[in-house]
Amino acid sequence: MSSPDRTQEFLELLTRHDRALGVYVYSLVPTPHDADDILQQTKMILWRCFDQFECGTNFLAWARKTAFHQVLTHRRQKKREATPLSDEMLELLHDEVSKLSDSGDRRGDALRHCVAKLPAAHRQLVTLRYYEDLEIDGVAERIRSTVGAVYRALSRVRMSLMTCVENELKLEGAES
Amino acid sequence: MKPADQFRLLELSERYADEKLSAAEVAALETELRENAEARAFFAKALHQRAELCFDDAWHTQAAATAAPAARPVWWRHAITAAAAACVTFAAVWLNSTRDGTVATLIRAQQCQWAGSSLPTVEGARLKPGMLDLIEGLAVLRFDSGAELVLEAPATVEVLDGMNCKLRRGTLVAEVPPQAKGFSIDTKDAKVIDWGTKFGLSAGEDGKYLVQVLEGLVEVDDKSGSASKKLEKGQRVDHGWSHSQLHPAGSDDAEPSLWQPAIVMDTGDGWQAITTAFGRGKDSYIQSSEKAAQDFGTHPFFRVKRSQDTKPDLNRKGYLAFDLSKFSGRTLEEAELVLTIEPSELGFASFVPDSTFAVYGVLDETADTWEENGLSWQHAPAHDPAQAERHLPVAAKVKLLGRFDIAQGINRGTRKLRGPELASFLSADTNQIATLIICRETNETQASGLVHAFATKENSTRSAPMLRVKLR
């Protein structure tokens, strides 16, 4: 397993799929520090079991499956219920998120493009929430609004981002 | 799917990720997602988009390519694993229980060290009534009532029961959900009763205290007998606390401290060391303020802070000068700056992430003549009170010599800066004295964040800023 070629191969695969794997885990585990713990654990297991991985098959799918198992393990170990949906529902969401994650960087690129096109006030909201990592009540305080209003405003912005991303992907599909 | 349903699911996904859904909402969501494949696909898409926004900053970098990016508080993600490992023991001196059983949980312990005799513990430990004495780090207690306290070292807290505790000394930030309304924190001279809110509290063994309400409503009951006060968001009661922090009692000890030798120390291996107490050495700091210049030269510490975009912005920068006359004519092969962290109880550590500090060398040697007691925000070397980056020196007048980090909640220990930049800066000196400026690059996440402090030569217990050099 630890032959230099094999190590090299592992690192290349992991690097190529690092972001997709990260986003996958963040989708199922919204608490960043839990997600980071799971990611770290997953990567260690991937490396340890790399000799079971058949070259030429889908590394990302294999990594996601491993990560999903870690998500379930993590939920069981945690006293605090981090993700209150059932294991079965999580598995169904795993299927859906996996499909999205297979569209690779195109979805992420489109999102970046769409965020850049947002009106300034909308972009500020996204920045406060996801870049400055403010809690919703922190955002409310900053823009002098209420928690309920911030959730609604954020959902509106997220909705326009979703529409924009789908349009971008469609356009791209039409061009290629 | 109707837009209204999409909209509703988006909001649910956001609140789900924030862990803000009630049990009933979760159950309804689960049923809807199980029965409706379209809703499930949309919900997954919402989670996936959120994950893309949270996972990295690429989208922000692109969107804000022209604007200067704010410091991103990713500290929590990275600090937490290390924290669990760093936190080895905690001391709990069990007092007479007012009740049987446990009343709270230690849910987080970041870079913690605890005083006194120790019981080994990990995050997740259940706490009975008793005393917690935190000397380093940040620890989060969740009472069974739902109230959460972030203890900021140094702090001593007595856990009484699910609704009561006593802050003997130190600082904490309390977050009290609606179901724990009435949660109270006792201090020597005041009792603070929370009516569902978030607030910061500092208290000393001498009875001084500070209450600052961040959200909601708090009742402060001063034990002197005056009527209790109701404080709303943004209001504070400062009963001597800030004054005692801002005007430290000078050391009465006329004896020079062992820690601050006014000599050149030769460690025998080619390395020699001096502190700011040697010769013409000096140390002080400046603070952005409309008020008249204050004399910080006699303080046993210098303070460093960046506070941008918050009001009032109180930026602070440290100034050090080392007397290099004993090394004159020699070539400095290597050099190392050693700073000792002084516990600072000014501001809330909860609002300042892991921080990076930068050390600059002042290029203009005529500026080296600054005096400890003459230094002010209006007048200091390589400083422009009007520049946008108020926490930094004037870029053209300094050379960056290096950076060091202090993790959130850390208030003890030393930091070393070593490198060719420092050695070459000192070697280039021609007037036998060199001025260094210490700045914090990391901004606070909200107003009233912690002010970092480092010992000066006036400190009677901690080592003054020290310069170690290796001569060729």
Side-chain angles (χ1 to χ4, degrees):
Chain A
M1 179 174 86
S2 52
S3 76
D5 284 356
R6 205 60 182 144
T7 310
Q8 184 73 20
E9 192 186 349
F10 177 76
L11 288 177
E12 276 173 18
L13 283 166
L14 191 63
T15 312
R16 193 184 319 152
H17 298 293
D18 191 54
R19 188 169 194 282
L21 182 63
V23 171
Y24 164 81
V25 172
Y26 268 61
S27 304
L28 294 184
V29 184
T31 326
H33 65 257
D34 287 343
D36 286 341
D37 283 354
I38 290 169
L39 268 173
Q40 198 175 355
Q41 195 67 27
T42 302
K43 287 174 187 174
M44 274 167 56
I45 293 171
L46 291 177
W47 168 238
R48 235 181 304 157
C49 304
F50 190 51
D51 51 355
Q52 293 163 21
F53 173 73
E54 283 173 49
C55 293
T57 61
N58 188 336
F59 179 82
L60 183 55
W62 178 63
R64 278 196 307 250
K65 212 172 281 176
T66 310
F68 183 67
H69 186 72
Q70 285 309 112
V71 171
L72 293 183
T73 311
H74 189 83
R75 274 158 64 95
R76 281 178 205 124
Q77 282 168 352
K78 263 197 108 138
K79 292 177 194 86
R80 191 166 60 101
E81 191 80 316
T83 43
L85 292 172
S86 66
D87 283 6
E88 294 71 36
M89 181 50 62
L90 213 60
E91 190 159 0
L92 291 172
L93 289 173
H94 154 84
D95 294 342
E96 294 294 338
V97 171
S98 296
K99 285 183 217 160
L100 298 168
S101 140
D102 279 333
S103 58
D105 296 337
R106 284 172 42 225
R107 191 167 279 276
D109 291 343
L111 178 64
R112 280 193 283 286
H113 196 202
C114 291
V115 173
K117 285 198 299 195
L118 283 177
H122 291 184
R123 202 165 57 227
Q124 186 206 9
L125 204 58
V126 175
T127 302
L128 289 174
R129 182 68 188 99
Y130 303 111
Y131 179 77
E132 293 193 21
D133 285 344
L134 290 182
E135 300 277 339
I136 289 293
D137 43 11
V139 177
E141 191 173 328
R142 193 75 83 82
I143 63 170
R144 293 170 200 281
S145 182
T146 63
V147 167
V150 170
Y151 271 122
R152 282 191 296 279
L154 201 57
S155 302
R156 265 197 300 277
V157 178
R158 294 273 312 274
M159 182 76 102
S160 69
L161 282 177
M162 268 181 162
T163 317
C164 172
V165 167
E166 295 308 322
N167 286 341
E168 293 259 328
L169 290 177
K170 243 180 251 162
L171 272 179
E172 213 178 281
E175 276 166 18
S176 60
Chain B
M1 204 163 43
K2 287 186 202 134
D5 283 328
Q6 295 186 332
F7 193 83
R8 183 176 50 82
L9 281 170
L10 256 173
E11 193 172 326
L12 278 174
S13 78
E14 193 68 29
R15 290 179 50 230
Y16 162 79
D18 286 346
E19 301 179 1
K20 294 275 162 63
L21 291 186
S22 69
E25 285 175 309
V26 171
L29 177 64
E30 171 112 20
T31 311
E32 180 178 5
L33 297 185
R34 193 178 323 114
E35 290 169 356
N36 184 341
E38 204 185 347
R40 189 163 68 234
F42 185 84
F43 191 76
K45 210 175 255 185
L47 290 178
H48 189 261
Q49 185 192 73
R50 187 181 194 281
E52 278 190 304
L53 292 168
C54 290
F55 182 70
D56 62 25
D57 296 346
W59 57 272
H60 183 265
T61 325
Q62 185 162 337
T66 46
R72 168 156 207 189
V74 288
W75 53 277
W76 197 244
R77 296 178 195 176
H78 301 296
I80 209 77
T81 6
C87 190
V88 271
T89 56
F90 85 107
V93 183
W94 303 128
L95 300 182
N96 294 329
S97 299
T98 51
R99 257 192 212 179
D100 282 324
T102 57
V103 297
T105 311
L106 179 65
I107 58 170
R108 249 175 236 152
Q110 187 178 330
Q111 315 263 348
C112 287
Q113 282 184 23
W114 305 80
S117 64
S118 58
L119 290 172
T121 190
V122 286
E123 289 179 358
R126 290 286 297 162
L127 304 177
K128 290 179 184 175
M131 198 88 85
L132 286 170
D133 195 357
L134 181 67
I135 50 176
E136 182 149 308
L138 286 187
V140 184
L141 302 186
R142 182 184 288 152
F143 286 78
D144 291 350
S145 57
E148 263 187 40
L149 303 184
V150 182
L151 303 187
E152 301 182 353
T156 309
V157 164
E158 192 181 336
V159 175
L160 299 172
D161 59 42
M163 287 295 283
N164 292 281
C165 72
K166 181 162 186 167
L167 178 63
R168 298 197 163 240
R169 63 179 290 261
T171 294
L172 57 78
V173 174
E175 196 162 357
V176 179
Q179 74 267 24
K181 271 185 188 174
F183 183 84
S184 90
I185 305 178
D186 203 13
T187 73
K188 184 167 181 288
D189 280 1
K191 188 171 193 146
V192 182
I193 304 154
D194 195 307
W195 298 108
T197 180
K198 188 170 174 185
F199 68 98
L201 171 66
S202 295
E205 282 163 326
D206 53 6
K208 290 174 175 141
Y209 63 88
L210 166 75
V211 185
Q212 182 165 351
V213 180
L214 304 164
E215 276 160 33
L217 184 71
V218 155
E219 186 177 331
V220 181
D221 203 354
D222 193 289
K223 294 177 185 171
S224 64
S226 53
S228 69
K229 275 183 208 143
K230 291 230 163 66
L231 298 185
E232 290 176 0
K233 177 178 166 180
Q235 294 184 319
R236 54 148 74 187
V237 167
D238 191 341
H239 191 82
W241 176 264
S242 296
H243 189 266
S244 64
Q245 296 304 316
L246 291 168
H247 303 276
S251 173
D252 298 329
D253 194 359
E255 298 275 315
S257 164
L258 281 178
W259 290 103
Q260 282 132 52
I263 53 162
V264 179
M265 290 168 286
D266 193 332
T267 49
D269 50 1
W271 282 89
Q272 298 195 354
I274 53 167
T275 71
T276 48
F278 175 75
R280 293 185 292 152
K282 50 203 169 187
D283 43 29
S284 188
Y285 64 104
I286 59 173
Q287 169 183 321
S288 57
S289 168
E290 303 299 320
K291 292 187 214 148
Q294 278 177 296
D295 171 15
F296 294 138
T298 57
H299 284 189
F301 46 73
F302 68 86
R303 285 182 163 139
V304 182
K305 184 182 187 186
R306 174 179 181 190
S307 114
Q308 211 162 336
D309 312 322
T310 51
K311 293 266 174 219
D313 68 323
L314 283 170
N315 289 285
R316 295 176 172 92
K317 299 188 252 192
Y319 279 79
L320 309 177
F322 289 98
D323 184 332
L324 304 176
S325 55
K326 290 290 181 232
F327 312 133
S328 145
R330 308 277 304 270
T331 308
L332 301 185
E333 201 170 301
E334 283 187 77
E336 180 179 78
L337 173 70
V338 185
L339 298 176
T340 306
I341 303 170
E342 170 81 8
S344 166
E345 293 183 66
L346 189 62
F348 296 104
S350 299
F351 307 154
V352 182
D354 292 352
S355 294
T356 301
F357 296 80
V359 178
Y360 294 90
V362 175
L363 296 172
D364 177 9
E365 296 202 322
T366 62
D368 288 335
T369 55
W370 59 274
E371 285 176 21
E372 276 193 355
N373 301 344
L375 213 53
S376 73
W377 192 255
Q378 283 69 35
H379 188 72
H383 171 73
D384 176 5
Q387 79 174 14
E389 299 279 277
R390 287 150 69 85
H391 64 290
L392 296 178
V394 178
K397 296 186 174 177
V398 290
K399 184 179 171 216
L400 177 64
L401 305 180
R403 293 186 170 89
F404 60 89
D405 296 318
I406 299 181
Q408 186 181 37
I410 291 295
N411 61 14
R412 297 186 316 155
T414 58
R415 289 294 177 274
K416 292 177 180 170
L417 180 77
R418 187 167 174 173
E421 291 85 5
L422 179 62
S424 72
F425 171 74
L426 295 171
S427 297
D429 174 80
T430 62
N431 66 343
Q432 285 91 49
I433 186 160
T435 300
L436 305 179
I437 303 178
I438 322 292
C439 306
R440 190 174 86 198
E441 294 183 335
T442 307
N443 198 6
E444 57 192 357
T445 53
Q446 66 181 85
S448 301
L450 181 80
V451 182
H452 282 89
F454 301 89
T456 58
K457 60 186 163 58
E458 287 81 11
N459 199 296
S460 58
T461 50
R462 287 179 188 82
S463 177
M466 183 188 282
L467 185 65
R468 298 179 70 238
V469 296
K470 190 174 186 186
L471 301 171
R472 194 175 291 157

